[in-house]
Amino acid sequence: MSNIDSINHVTGKSVYLDDIPVQKGTLHAVVFGSPVAHGKIIDINYSNAQALPGIERIITCKDIPGENQIGGIISDETLFAEDYVHFHGQPIALIVAEDEQAARKALKLIDINIEEKEAITDPRMAKQKGLFLIPPRTFRMGNISGSWKDCEYIFEGKVESGGQEHLYLETQGAYAYNGENGSIKVHSSTQGPTIVQKTVAKVLGIPMNCIEVDVARIGGGFGGKEDQATAFAVMVSLASYLLKKPVKLSLHRSDDMRMTGKRHPYSSDFRIGLSEEYKILAFQTTMYQNGGAAADLSPAIMERTLFHSTNAYFIPNTEVTVYSCKTNLPPNTAFRGFGAPQGMFVIESAIAMAANELHIPARVIQKINLLQENNEFQYGQIAKEVNIGICYQKVEELYDVGKIEKEIKEFNKSNDLIKRGMAIMPVCFGVSFTNTRMNQARALVHIYQDGSVGISTGAIEMGQGVNTKLIQIASKIFSININRIKLESTNTSRVANTSPTAASSGADLNGNALIIACNGLMERLRATAADMLSCAPDEIKIQDETVFRGRKKTHILWEKLVETAFFSRVSLSENGHYATPVINFDKSVEKGHPFAYHVYGTAIITVTLDCLRGTYEIDDVLIVHDFGNSMNPDIDKGQVEGGVVMGIGWMTMEEVLFDNYGKLITNNLSTYKVPDIYSVPKVLECHALKTKGPKLAILKSKAIGEPPFMYGIGAFFAIQNAIKAFNPKYKLEYNAPLTPEKVLMRLYNAY
Ligand code: MTE
Ligand code: HPA
Ligand code: MOS
């Protein structure tokens, strides 16, 4: 089934925040952000700004009736700065005006006097100064200190990975207006409507039931709207609460890039020890996460880095520590992969270094260390239904890795100024929110008396196709045509206490809640049919909109059945609640069973490098991926393609740069380059591994949103191998992104 949104997207009919017709008298807001990254506010004079025609009000921390606090995991983030500012662009005030133009004019007239302080942008520097967002955490398995003596080879190195701008097509924004009796309705471009609802309630000092958050869809989130949509939704809610008028805000791209957090840059040290047969016996790493000025989701992201620090390998002795460092950057946040890519890049760098020093292909080391059935992860979970070995073997066979290697060798021999390179990237990604409590969802289903169906869940559609999957589920359980089913907007008054749509579990969690609700309704409909046919309910089957008694088709069709149930005063509404079984995690010992299952796959990436210019092209990305039993191969393939390209972007061309004062230099699309149609791989093939799929995946169809992102890491090593082919003296540096600029330096660096 194709995505239900496709036609409306391409014909421009899909409704995003900016397409919602606004009420008459709607005011427009712009955010006044700090002009420096760190400092003490001495004085602010708003009078000139306030005096401009069209300015309704300038709102600051002093106007907040509840708490000036928006921190989700830790209460360490104000909505509007009070005495200090901690990052460039940190919201200080909200200018509310008749139109955006007036508000923007007023921005320039605010007189602010700040005593500037040193801005820390480097996580290692923050560590030195003892600046942490939370205490460090360590995951351990085996006996690391005792295992080095058994290692034949030991290598040490340093790894750097950069930030990444989400660049969702729709920038952050929200629209709020007042209802009766002090209630507020908020349209927000958020992945987490309940987080918005809860935070608006906290800041306004009113109960959650006064706030209704509604999201039809968002124009991409990629993690950037899991937490960071909240501030903007709270701002417009606060403004409309104070002014009793509708207020809208939609960030300009450069403000969005400047004010919001990105993927966490990490700086890491590793030590890896191998046996004579290249078995990895020991792996130790210390990572410094650049958290930015407030915790945001950093603690959870740190956790996923810890979980995925050994990627798809079994390493008997491991110790990994992550420091979450407080710097003067916008609070960094969730981004596809959620800390896992940063961890995986370190272990892959360690393997690449070992391979390089030992003069063997990295795949020799990768292969003999792959996770096997019943191996223990460093967090205590026992690996089950492990498919990484099969994926790796299959990708090697299907695409004939030996032949690719040989061709590249021959090509490199006969070409002086163009070199090719290849790398293989295995991936193992755990599915579930690492925070066990968040793995729950609800769905509300109404069957209307004409047989049409309305579905509400907590899932947010952000282009990943979750709404299509939900319709497929309802259509399958009810055995009715998809045309009968409508997916409602995600609304906190219909479905309450939702987890954000994140951790790739949107379809798993909400889909399972939906199955439970649909099954409840089906039971009642079967009872109705049994009454109509004077037989037992377990004789009844409903298939293709027709009631069957045993194997025999009856004259009762779906519409008649529903109408009869309604006239018999049977409830045609149902609420389903799902909580992922089995999972648990004990932080006091850092052990447990946090994931419902793991997603596996392996990619081969080949590149061609122009050694005069330092520019490169990604040639082939050849993947064998374990989808389980994919419920929608078209959508899942789209997720693989998008994920891979995004991962390649992070590793190669996307470079987030701040100056020494903590000001973002790459604050628009002329200075920040994302992959475009010309830089995507020439060939992207994804072969689906044939598997049954795990019980805990929705209809045995594995989560797909994030795992393919990490195949992109292979591009880094493929380019590195091409550089090495040109410049044998190149001393491998594990510093991403590997931009053409850096490549050029490395091609000609003699060290
Ligand atoms: N795909 C599109 N088109 N747009 C997005 O914003 N977000 C990604 C992924 N794929 C995203 C996307 C991220 S970060 C996650 S966690 C998942 O989708 C969330 O949706 P799911 O849980 O339904 O897979
Ligand atoms: N993944 C994504 N988002 C999250 C998670 C997670 O594991 N935990 C909290 N938010
Ligand atoms: Mo995705 S980073 O879990 O929103």
Side-chain angles (χ1 to χ4, degrees):
M1 176 186 171
S2 62
N3 192 316
I4 51 161
D5 281 333
S6 311
I7 304 276
N8 282 345
H9 279 0
V10 297
T11 52
K13 289 187 193 127
S14 300
V15 173
Y16 296 89
L17 184 87
D18 219 25
D19 303 311
I20 300 170
V22 293
Q23 296 178 14
K24 199 166 153 221
T26 292
L27 300 169
H28 296 266
V30 300
V31 184
F32 172 60
S34 170
V36 303
H38 191 197
K40 184 170 192 286
I41 300 175
I42 306 293
D43 180 46
I44 312 181
N45 186 345
Y46 293 107
S47 51
N48 288 339
Q50 183 71 67
L52 265 191
I55 302 301
E56 182 89 11
R57 180 150 171 191
I58 298 179
I59 296 170
T60 70
C61 61
K62 297 197 182 89
D63 301 304
I64 292 174
E67 279 180 65
N68 182 19
Q69 186 48 247
I70 59 166
I73 300 178
I74 294 173
S75 294
D76 68 348
E77 191 177 355
T78 55
L79 178 70
F80 294 123
E82 294 175 359
D83 302 328
Y84 286 86
V85 284
H86 299 280
F87 65 92
H88 191 103
Q90 180 180 346
I92 295 175
L94 189 75
I95 304 178
V96 189
E98 276 168 15
D99 56 56
E100 199 185 313
Q101 239 180 341
R104 289 202 169 273
K105 258 196 208 149
L107 260 188
K108 300 198 183 95
L109 299 179
I110 297 175
D111 225 349
I112 185 163
N113 179 5
I114 297 185
E115 182 187 309
E116 213 170 331
K117 297 191 179 297
E118 183 194 16
I120 308 286
T121 56
D122 175 56
R124 288 187 193 249
M125 176 83 86
K127 156 91 180 3
Q128 258 177 27
K129 293 184 181 275
L131 297 169
F132 301 115
L133 292 165
I134 50 163
R137 278 172 75 181
T138 301
F139 281 16
R140 292 189 179 86
M141 184 167 70
N143 172 6
I144 192 81
S145 52
S147 57
W148 299 112
K149 64 175 184 337
D150 302 328
C151 300
E152 180 71 19
Y153 311 108
I154 295 177
F155 304 102
E156 288 179 344
K158 189 174 170 193
V159 180
E160 306 276 347
S161 61
Q164 187 174 24
E165 165 61 44
H166 300 87
L167 217 88
Y168 22 67
L169 282 180
E170 177 188 42
T171 54
Q172 303 275 9
Y175 173 44
Y177 43 89
N178 298 280
E180 277 185 356
N181 301 322
S183 68
I184 294 180
K185 183 158 178 178
V186 194
H187 298 273
S188 164
S189 182
T190 178
Q191 290 173 241
T194 293
I195 308 169
V196 168
Q197 181 193 22
K198 192 174 165 186
T199 316
V200 170
K202 189 190 212 173
V203 174
L204 298 189
I206 59 177
M208 281 171 81
N209 66 3
C210 292
I211 294 134
E212 176 185 351
V213 181
D214 191 275
V215 187
R217 66 170 58 71
I218 67 177
F222 305 109
K225 294 171 183 171
E226 181 173 340
D227 222 39
Q228 301 221 343
T230 305
F232 306 103
V234 176
M235 287 177 203
V236 292
S237 303
L238 172 65
S240 77
Y241 181 80
L242 295 173
L243 298 165
K244 301 282 165 264
K245 287 184 184 166
V247 181
K248 183 175 163 178
L249 181 160
S250 170
L251 287 189
H252 277 199
R253 178 64 67 187
S254 61
D255 285 341
D256 189 304
M257 291 177 87
R258 184 167 72 96
M259 290 179 172
T260 65
K262 316 186 187 310
R263 181 184 296 286
H264 293 73
Y266 274 58
S267 180
S268 312
D269 298 312
F270 70 80
R271 191 166 193 230
I272 189 169
L274 299 90
S275 72
E276 210 177 337
E277 298 80 37
Y278 309 133
K279 269 266 174 210
I280 306 173
L281 298 181
F283 179 58
Q284 187 173 30
T285 163
T286 306
M287 310 192 187
Y288 304 95
Q289 178 196 57
N290 191 337
D296 192 273
L297 290 163
S298 296
I301 291 160
M302 166 208 258
E303 196 166 54
R304 200 173 267 280
T305 304
L306 291 161
F307 283 122
H308 293 309
S309 57
T310 53
N311 188 12
Y313 309 106
F314 173 69
I315 306 176
N317 305 289
T318 60
E319 187 185 271
V320 45
T321 301
V322 182
Y323 288 90
S324 185
C325 306
K326 186 173 173 185
T327 59
N328 297 109
L329 302 184
N332 283 320
T333 194
F335 197 139
R336 213 170 192 168
F338 206 73
Q342 292 95 322
M344 290 184 192
F345 183 53
V346 177
I347 178 71
E348 292 304 326
S349 295
I351 290 174
M353 174 185 250
N356 185 58
E357 299 284 330
L358 297 168
H359 305 289
I360 53 172
R363 70 182 175 106
V364 173
I365 300 175
Q366 287 178 329
K367 254 196 311 199
I368 60 171
N369 289 289
L370 290 175
L371 198 69
Q372 290 178 7
E373 195 69 14
N374 294 322
N375 279 162
E376 186 180 337
F377 287 100
Q378 71 274 22
Y379 45 90
Q381 185 160 344
I382 303 299
K384 297 283 179 193
E385 297 175 79
V386 176
N387 288 325
I388 189 62
I390 316 175
C391 287
Y392 204 110
Q393 194 185 348
K394 183 89 192 168
V395 88
E396 281 193 322
E397 282 168 14
L398 193 63
Y399 299 106
D400 201 342
V401 168
K403 193 167 147 233
I404 297 175
E405 273 177 346
K406 204 165 141 233
E407 276 170 10
I408 290 180
K409 223 180 212 162
E410 278 163 15
F411 180 94
N412 288 347
K413 230 187 256 165
S414 51
N415 287 277
D416 289 339
L417 293 175
I418 300 176
K419 298 289 180 189
R420 296 193 62 212
M422 183 204 83
I424 302 186
M425 183 65 199
V427 171
C428 164
F429 189 84
V431 175
S432 289
F433 283 97
T434 55
N435 181 349
T436 302
R437 285 186 294 186
M438 293 175 78
N439 294 287
Q440 54 169 315
R442 276 151 295 280
L444 176 67
V445 181
H446 300 309
I447 305 177
Y448 294 94
Q449 50 190 292
D450 64 353
S452 64
V453 173
I455 297 173
S456 298
T457 74
I460 299 290
E461 175 61 51
M462 56 186 116
Q464 87 280 38
V466 68
N467 281 0
T468 304
K469 289 185 176 179
L470 292 171
I471 286 185
Q472 279 182 273
I473 291 164
S475 149
K476 184 182 155 80
I477 306 284
F478 289 141
S479 199
I480 59 173
N481 194 296
I482 54 160
N483 300 334
R484 289 192 189 271
I485 305 168
K486 173 170 177 245
L487 214 101
E488 305 290 352
S489 64
T490 313
N491 183 298
T492 53
S493 300
R494 274 192 298 272
V495 177
N497 306 320
T498 64
S499 287
T501 299
S504 304
S505 354
D508 275 2
L509 296 174
N510 293 282
N512 272 305
L514 177 59
I515 289 179
I516 291 166
C518 292
N519 280 339
L521 286 162
M522 277 301 260
E523 207 171 298
R524 299 207 279 271
L525 288 176
R526 270 195 299 269
T528 299
D531 274 353
M532 292 165 83
L533 294 165
S534 309
C535 66
D538 56 11
E539 286 179 62
I540 300 290
K541 230 172 89 183
I542 300 165
Q543 208 182 321
D544 297 334
E545 308 203 342
T546 309
V547 174
F548 284 71
R549 181 179 175 179
R551 288 215 199 122
K552 218 171 136 246
K553 204 173 185 167
T554 71
H555 63 282
I556 307 170
L557 300 181
W558 173 259
E559 280 172 22
K560 182 75 197 163
L561 176 63
V562 168
E563 190 189 58
T564 310
F566 173 65
F567 289 148
S568 318
R569 299 188 292 173
V570 169
S571 165
L572 292 174
S573 296
E574 183 68 10
N575 179 49
H577 172 84
Y578 177 73
T580 313
V582 186
I583 53 171
N584 62 76
F585 195 70
D586 181 353
K587 272 193 178 181
S588 67
V589 288
E590 304 286 26
K591 299 278 178 195
H593 186 111
F595 298 119
Y597 58 89
H598 291 81
V599 175
Y600 299 97
T602 304
I604 302 173
I605 297 196
T606 63
V607 302
T608 300
L609 176 61
D610 178 332
C611 302
L612 274 182
R613 295 173 181 83
T615 53
Y616 44 76
E617 286 181 359
I618 312 295
D619 298 324
D620 301 340
V621 178
L622 311 166
I623 303 167
V624 171
H625 186 87
D626 170 19
F627 292 88
N629 181 21
S630 172
M631 64 179 291
N632 193 320
D634 288 342
I635 284 177
D636 287 355
K637 186 165 174 255
Q639 286 291 296
V640 171
E641 291 174 354
V644 166
V645 170
M646 218 167 197
I648 293 174
W650 174 55
M651 279 280 111
T652 62
M653 61 177 69
E654 294 185 45
E655 190 171 36
V656 177
L657 290 173
F658 291 89
D659 68 13
N660 289 339
Y661 303 98
K663 184 176 174 198
L664 182 69
I665 302 170
T666 50
N667 67 348
N668 59 53
L669 292 177
S670 64
T671 47
Y672 186 76
K673 179 87 185 87
V674 290
D676 57 19
I677 195 71
Y678 301 106
S679 51
V680 300
K682 291 204 206 66
V683 175
L684 199 157
E685 266 182 44
C686 183
H687 174 88
L689 190 75
K690 292 252 174 312
T691 58
K692 290 200 315 278
K695 265 208 318 281
L696 294 183
I698 185 73
L699 303 175
K700 302 196 170 173
S701 175
K702 286 193 176 188
I704 187 67
E706 293 166 287
F709 179 95
M710 282 147 286
Y711 293 139
I713 294 173
F716 179 94
F717 296 102
I719 296 170
Q720 202 171 48
N721 290 337
I723 301 174
K724 187 90 191 161
F726 180 79
N727 179 7
K729 288 208 190 106
Y730 165 50
K731 201 167 137 284
L732 272 57
E733 281 179 75
Y734 304 96
N735 181 332
L738 198 37
T739 56
E741 223 174 325
K742 286 191 202 155
V743 170
L744 196 61
M745 303 290 279
R746 289 167 198 197
L747 282 167
Y748 294 96
N749 206 331
Y751 293 90

